[in-house]
Structures are given as C-alpha cells and as structure tokens.
Amino acid sequence: MRNTAWCAALLATLCPAASAVAQESVPPAESPQDVVRIGADGHARMTVPVHVAGSGPYRFVVDTGAERTVISRELAGQLGLDAAGTVTMHSMSGISPVETVLIPDLGISKASVKNIRAPALGSFDLGAAGMLGVDSLQQQRILIDFKADTMTIQSARQRDPGRDADEIVVTARSRFGQLVLVDASVGRDPVQVIIDTGAQVSVGNEALRRRVAGRRSRLDFRPIELISVTGDSVQALFAQIPSIRIGGIFLSDLPVAFIDAQPFRALDLLDRPALLLGMDALRLFQRVSVDFANRKVRFLMREDAARGDERRLAALPIRAGL
C-alpha cells in the first residue's frame, strides 16, 4: 500500500495587479477568553466551528502553518461572497495562481476578524469548509488541550496566564508571519521548527534529511506521497528521526517526510535544517499553546511522559496508509 499524508502548509502573496483589502481583528468583547470544542477531520487534523458572514457554524481546520485563511469555493458560492482578485499561492506541491473572495466577517467563538481576503479552493481538496491561517489568529493566543478536546481562544492583549510547573516554554521569532522556534536541534545542529497544525505528518527539508542521514546511515527511508490542499501530490522520502530536541523536550523516533517543498523555499529555509511539526507530533502532548503576538509556544507533557532533565516523548511507529 502506498503511504500518503495530507499536508496543508501554504503561503499566499498578493499579485501586484490585485488591490489590497484592509484586515481588522476584533478581540472578544464580553470575556477575556472563550473555549470551543475541537474535532478532527478524516486526516487527524484539528477543526473548530467558525461563522462566516454571519452564517454557520462551519468546520474549519486550524492551520498554524498557513499564512492565509482559506475557504472552500463551494461555501463561498453558497454565501455569495464577492470576488477579490488573484493571489499567488505557495503550497506543498508548488506555486499556482488562485482566485480569492472577500469574507466580510469571520467569527471564531466571540472573536472576529473583518475583511479577510481568502483564497478559494475545492472542498474535496481542503477536506473541510475552510482553514484558519495565521492572518485570523495573529492577534490571538490559542491553547489546544488534546486531553480535553478543547481550544481556548484569548486576545494576545490579555494578561499572559501563569506557567504550569511542567510546561516547557520555547521562544520564537516571526518570519513572514510564521512563528519559527529558535531553540531546537538534532544533535548539535540547530533546526528551524514551525508549528503546523494543518499537516497530518511532520515535514522536513533536504538539509535536515542530510543531517539525520549523515548521523544514522541505517535510517530506513521509504517513499511517501504528500497531498496538498490544491489536490496535487508530490513524492517525498519518509523516515523516523531518532531524536530531536525542542526546548527541554526530546522527541524520539519522530516520523518525518523529507522534501524541499515550496513553503521552505518561500520562507528562505532551504539552506538550513527546518521542520514543519505536524499533528502526529503535537498530539503527543497534553497541551500546546501558541501565542502569535508575544512569540511564545508552550508545551505541556502528558502525565505519563518521562520527567527529569531529559523529558522524552516516543512517537508512534510508522504505519501503512498514513
């Protein structure tokens, strides 16, 4: 059976001929935070209920690895959303022009974002009614609780909650709107890590593959097919990294697909080891908090995880039919 994985990381840049649309984030008015139930689509990605132009709710995939919020063409047509020009989209499978629509109001619980210019893609390829990108979340602090199946949404202007005793806090820097974790490594080699909740499996670039292959020549690289949100597929190599450190956490035997995908090129991360950390890895934790405005990511270990100076999590083994 051919191994396949759903990888949705994308960036979208405005074409010069297209007019820019102002985007305004409106924080919750009644409560400093709100909690929504999270679900999962058929690809183990996280979904939340979203209102679009006052209608809904619709299930959107939360995609912290995407610069832009995306909506399905079918839903955009159903709601009669206005066309808003063309953007150039950098997806896992390459670069392509995509038509956009104007979402006048996008409601995420009590928070809302105004005037989003969203690429419109086929619902079958998206696997959902849409995807929430960084443009919808950049003024928010989100806390994903995998044990409780909830996502807490809080304005980044609200007071930062106190740190749990077992939490690992990793600082990040902003790169074209993405949060890149600056404290990660394989052995002594630094690795640029991006939290990508829109990807079913973690994806590394060729620079990372060369580093791990040089350290462990017996790594078993297998072919895998990555499916993009555009419906296109690309071939990659798949293996398990023996150990990768993120802050004070060590992930053992982490499954990773290796390819110099377009998002790495768009982020200028081809020449240094880089990793899009997907849902297969994130679900190893009890909680993950992403604070876009303050550039912090917090990881809370599961209760059964190893304690001590080296906190280790063992990833699940490679499965057929990912």
Side-chain angles (χ1 to χ4, degrees):
M1 180 182 298
R2 174 180 292 177
N3 284 350
T4 61
W6 192 284
C7 292
L10 61 89
L11 294 93
T13 55
L14 300 178
C15 291
S19 60
V21 179
Q23 193 167 294
E24 178 185 0
S25 177
V26 180
E30 302 177 13
S31 173
Q33 66 179 34
D34 197 35
V35 179
V36 296
R37 298 289 299 178
I38 61 175
D41 68 356
H43 307 283
R45 300 173 302 170
M46 181 175 57
T47 65
V48 295
V50 171
H51 285 82
V52 180
S55 298
Y58 307 99
R59 302 303 300 189
F60 273 49
V61 172
V62 179
D63 189 359
T64 59
E67 178 191 5
R68 285 299 196 89
T69 292
V70 177
I71 190 171
S72 73
R73 284 193 295 264
E74 292 81 355
L75 180 56
Q78 175 186 329
L79 298 177
L81 300 181
D82 293 334
T86 303
V87 296
T88 299
M89 189 172 71
H90 300 256
S91 69
M92 193 62 65
S93 57
I95 304 175
S96 56
V98 176
E99 296 300 317
T100 69
V101 296
L102 179 64
I103 300 177
D105 182 84
L106 187 76
I108 314 166
S109 186
K110 291 185 176 69
S112 66
V113 184
K114 305 292 186 181
N115 297 328
I116 292 182
R117 188 180 176 198
L121 301 174
S123 61
F124 179 81
D125 297 328
L126 281 175
M131 306 183 77
L132 289 177
V134 174
D135 57 344
S136 298
L137 301 169
Q138 59 186 347
Q139 300 302 320
Q140 308 296 329
R141 180 186 299 120
I142 62 173
L143 187 151
I144 307 161
D145 191 323
F146 292 108
K147 183 177 181 180
D149 285 331
T150 60
M151 184 173 81
T152 300
I153 304 169
Q154 183 182 47
S155 170
R157 287 179 286 184
Q158 296 290 335
R159 181 179 178 182
D160 193 6
R163 173 180 171 182
D164 189 288
D166 288 329
E167 273 187 335
I168 303 295
V169 180
V170 184
T171 58
R173 57 186 174 86
S174 181
R175 190 173 186 84
F176 303 110
Q178 304 286 347
L179 288 187
V180 181
L181 304 187
V182 297
D183 185 17
S185 62
V186 171
R188 295 182 178 179
D189 300 319
V191 179
Q192 313 290 306
V193 176
I194 296 171
I195 304 296
D196 188 0
T197 59
Q200 179 187 2
V201 66
S202 299
V203 179
N205 62 4
E206 277 294 302
L208 179 59
R209 188 191 68 80
R210 289 192 296 269
R211 294 294 177 90
V212 297
R215 292 180 175 278
R216 292 290 185 95
S217 59
R218 295 183 181 180
L219 280 181
D220 182 16
F221 289 97
R222 308 179 188 180
I224 187 174
E225 182 180 58
L226 301 182
I227 302 175
S228 172
V229 289
T230 61
D232 300 317
S233 62
V234 290
Q235 300 299 315
L237 293 177
F238 197 55
Q240 290 178 260
I241 297 179
S243 180
I244 181 170
R245 181 189 62 82
I246 300 175
I249 305 164
F250 288 81
L251 296 176
S252 301
D253 299 322
L254 178 67
V256 176
F258 295 95
I259 183 174
D260 272 344
Q262 183 59 34
F264 292 122
R265 184 172 289 105
L267 292 170
D268 194 24
L269 291 176
L270 287 181
D271 297 332
R272 66 195 90 173
L275 177 73
L276 301 172
L277 196 68
M279 286 299 293
D280 58 339
L282 296 176
R283 288 186 182 277
L284 296 172
F285 299 94
Q286 180 172 317
R287 291 202 312 256
V288 178
S289 172
V290 184
D291 188 332
F292 293 94
N294 297 301
R295 302 176 185 177
K296 292 181 181 178
V297 178
R298 296 180 174 183
F299 300 92
L300 179 64
M301 308 285 284
R302 290 188 178 273
E303 295 174 355
D304 56 353
R307 295 292 192 267
D309 294 336
E310 290 192 359
R311 306 186 183 201
R312 294 185 177 272
L313 291 175
L316 295 174
I318 294 175
R319 305 183 304 277
L322 278 170

